[in-house]
């Protein structure tokens, strides 16, 4: 069967034909049973996360190639594991496909998924393919974490320092450049390329986990409460607000510490810049709350982009403090972010 | 918020409203992080399986209430775990929902899912809700199994006895009664009810696992190859064919040993009866291949419905042998079963 024919459709090759193609993206020994078998590490907890992505809602051929849709879906799930402090064990991929979808599209989707997974030595360990009127992708990712190093939203403590592992707003800016290629004439090509890559090929911050382990374990080998946090996939403001709500605390963020891509300076107004950073979403950085000394040590070790952006406070408000003390604090709310069913 | 209003739609209550409803079906402590954390048992392997179900393809309001759709989806995933010999740890539920779907439908779906799970002490440990033009359900189930007791399709040995854990054809007959309530006038109400229940509320055979363990462990505490098999969710013929293909063997089945519901005797012709049993599907029994003595001991212990139906042979053909030696063997093929994309 020549799957390189661009016109070949799902309905032309059937379920068995599709399975053969998909199996070429999976390790040989996991195929053929009702379920996949994985080996876990004793003394570690299992972490599980799941995401559904719908054609026209979460991805679209206008801004996203099938390769990029696959990469982004895999990256989002690995980022959810990183947000819990967990190293990935594997993912399952469920696919709902219209009969007239091209087989080439599916191959490119899997290529994008596996390109992202390979960077972290992760495999597709199972899945399901079914007929559906709308292309639907459902990914479940499994990881494991030492119980002492689980990162939770609900354990932020008053006095904790809030840090980010990188800059924010790049993904949103990249999307804008894809939707309106004629804007931002005064950006260099390299700047445009970097922003678009931030949107199309976001990087889950699994690299942060060994650094956290290196810094935290010597300080307190048995504490459960040293680290709180989540990823910024729904925006930096959303992450801080979710952590505060779950922990029953407030926060103060310093606007001047929230770093954005340098390209923003000669393109966007300060207000647009801040808006992209706070509400743009899909940057997949980690937002972490730790005791001040540990936070400083972690930021130093993480290097470029990582920064202390604020402090956990009593109360429940998240305030954004302007550099100019005369400008009043802005109170951040969840409703400024995305509403998926609106 | 009064969710009892029958007219209340998904778009009326938004993502946060939906989350509140769904959280009432989940354990309190697993909500609110990017991923769920589960504790596994040392020395056991992790087993993962995933299923996607699409409105109009896998369930339909014509034959399936939302409660039953939920039950069946949960049961199918638990059956996939049972088919690997694994005891369930939890499931995740991904939902794609049109904005004009009624909230009551979703509550009933979750009610069905949790009714099935509760029988086995299993919880929904995570999920995702997204907007989609078509109602889509994606379930991933996790379980664990002692490595020596993993049931695989690929390990059937020539000379093994093939057993089933129960009767076949009931689910297919129940579907027929739902689609054509006027047929089978000579069936008793209790018979009809039992067949319809077999279709609407199938039972995953997790109860078989402790019995397998009880019989197998004393015989060979360290063998990996004592048991092979899968579930009969795609039909009894499909199960035997898949096992044979994966193991590189053939099989001979004795037609007279394949037991069907007793109601079939005064309703269906012998041909229809056999057809329902072999190709009907969704009975969720286990089809297992073991050495003859162990197989006999297991069938005896399992009781009603369990039976020895054949033997694993050299070659690759699966032959169905008639009681009357003059009638030639029938060769079973996969193409007689369902083709999902045809």
């Amino acid at each position: 069967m020549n799957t390189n024919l661009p016109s070949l459709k799902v309905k032309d090759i059937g379920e068995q034909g599709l399975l053969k193609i998909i199996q070429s993206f999976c390790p040989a020994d996991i195929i053929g049973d009702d379920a996949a078998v994985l080996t876990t590490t004793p003394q570690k907890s299992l972490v599980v996360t799941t995401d559904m992505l719908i054609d026209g809602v979460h991805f679209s051929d206008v801004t996203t190639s099938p390769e990029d849709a696959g990469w982004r879906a895999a990256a989002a799930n690995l980022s959810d594991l990183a947000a819990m402090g967990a190293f990935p064990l594997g993912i399952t991929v469920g696919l709902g496909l219209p009969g007239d979808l091209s087989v080439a599209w599916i191959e490119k989707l899997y290529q994008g998924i596996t390109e992202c997974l390979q960077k972290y030595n992760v495999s597709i360990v199972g899945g399901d393919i079914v007929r559906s009127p709308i292309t639907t992708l459902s990914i479940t990712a499994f990881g494991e974490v030492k119980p002492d190093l689980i990162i939770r939203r609900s354990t932020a403590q008053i006095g904790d320092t809030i840090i980010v592992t990188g800059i924010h707003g790049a993904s949103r800016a990249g999307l804008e450049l894809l939707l309106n290629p004629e804007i931002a004439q005064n950006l260099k090509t390299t700047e445009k390329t970097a922003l678009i890559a931030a949107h199309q090929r976001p990087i889950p911050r699994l690299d942060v986990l060994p650094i956290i382990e290196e810094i935290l374990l010597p300080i307190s080998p048995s504490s459960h409460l040293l680290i709180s946090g989540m990823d910024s996939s729904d925006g930096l403001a959303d992450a801080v607000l979710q952590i505060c709500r779950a922990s029953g605390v407030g926060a103060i963020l310093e606007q001047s510490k929230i770093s954005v891509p340098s390209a923003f300076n000669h393109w966007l107004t300060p207000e647009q810049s801040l808006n992209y950073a706070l509400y743009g979403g899909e940057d997949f950085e980690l937002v972490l709350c730790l005791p001040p000394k540990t936070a400083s040590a972690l930021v130093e070790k993480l290097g470029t982009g990582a920064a202390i952006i604020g402090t956990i406070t009593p109360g429940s408000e998240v305030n954004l403090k302007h550099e100019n003390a005369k400008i009043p604090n802005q109170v951040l709310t969840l409703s400024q972010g995305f509403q998926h069913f609106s």
Side-chain angles (χ1 to χ4, degrees), chain A residues 65-269:
Chain A
S65 69
E67 290 95 330
D68 290 338
W71 175 290
R72 283 161 53 87
N77 276 276
L78 296 185
S79 182
D80 279 335
L81 293 181
M84 299 292 292
F87 292 89
L89 287 169
I91 72 165
T92 61
V93 178
L95 266 184
L97 302 171
D100 61 358
L101 187 71
S102 85
V103 171
W105 191 95
I106 299 162
E107 289 182 296
K108 287 176 186 163
L109 177 82
Y110 269 85
Q111 197 182 313
I113 293 173
T114 47
E115 274 174 25
C116 179
L117 294 181
Q118 275 163 7
K119 281 180 75 91
Y120 306 97
N121 242 332
V122 182
S123 299
I124 299 172
V125 298
D128 195 16
I129 334 170
V130 298
R131 185 160 52 85
S132 169
I134 186 119
T135 307
T136 302
L137 178 59
S138 172
I139 293 190
T140 301
F142 326 97
E144 54 181 14
V145 55
K146 291 182 191 161
D148 288 349
L149 292 172
I150 298 175
I151 301 171
R152 292 195 183 273
R153 296 184 188 180
S154 57
T155 54
Q157 305 288 315
I158 293 164
D160 273 357
T161 295
I162 305 168
I163 73 163
V164 289
T165 56
I167 58 171
H168 280 84
S171 174
R172 179 66 185 81
L175 175 61
E176 198 62 34
L177 291 171
L178 286 166
L179 292 171
N180 303 300
E182 73 289 356
I183 60 164
Q185 304 282 1
N186 55 343
L187 284 190
K188 290 180 212 150
T189 308
T190 52
E191 289 174 325
K192 285 191 185 183
T193 309
L195 293 173
I196 289 173
H199 181 73
Q200 290 177 331
R201 299 270 163 153
I203 304 291
R205 297 305 306 267
L206 288 162
D207 61 300
V208 171
L209 304 186
I211 301 174
I212 290 178
E213 195 164 340
E214 193 187 325
I215 287 178
L216 282 198
L217 278 189
I219 296 174
S220 172
S222 66
S223 167
H224 294 276
L225 297 173
L226 262 183
I227 193 157
S228 168
M230 64 180 283
D231 72 356
S232 59
S233 53
D234 287 336
L236 175 55
D238 174 88
V240 177
L241 284 158
Q242 297 281 5
I243 292 166
C244 287
R245 192 163 68 168
S247 300
V249 295
I252 188 148
L253 301 182
E254 301 201 36
Q255 188 178 320
S256 61
K257 301 288 173 61
I258 296 171
S259 41
V260 293
S262 58
F264 283 15
N265 299 333
H266 44 278
W267 172 30
L268 303 173
T269 65

Side-chain angles (χ1 to χ4, degrees), chain A residues 38-92:
Chain A
L38 300 175
T39 306
T40 55
T41 313
Q43 319 303 335
K44 288 198 178 180
S45 295
L46 176 67
V47 173
V48 181
T49 178
T50 194
D51 258 343
M52 267 184 114
L53 302 162
I54 312 289
D55 185 13
V57 180
H58 303 96
F59 55 92
S60 144
D61 281 345
V62 179
T63 54
T64 318
S65 69
E67 290 95 330
D68 290 338
W71 175 290
R72 283 161 53 87
N77 276 276
L78 296 185
S79 182
D80 279 335
L81 293 181
M84 299 292 292
F87 292 89
L89 287 169
I91 72 165
T92 61

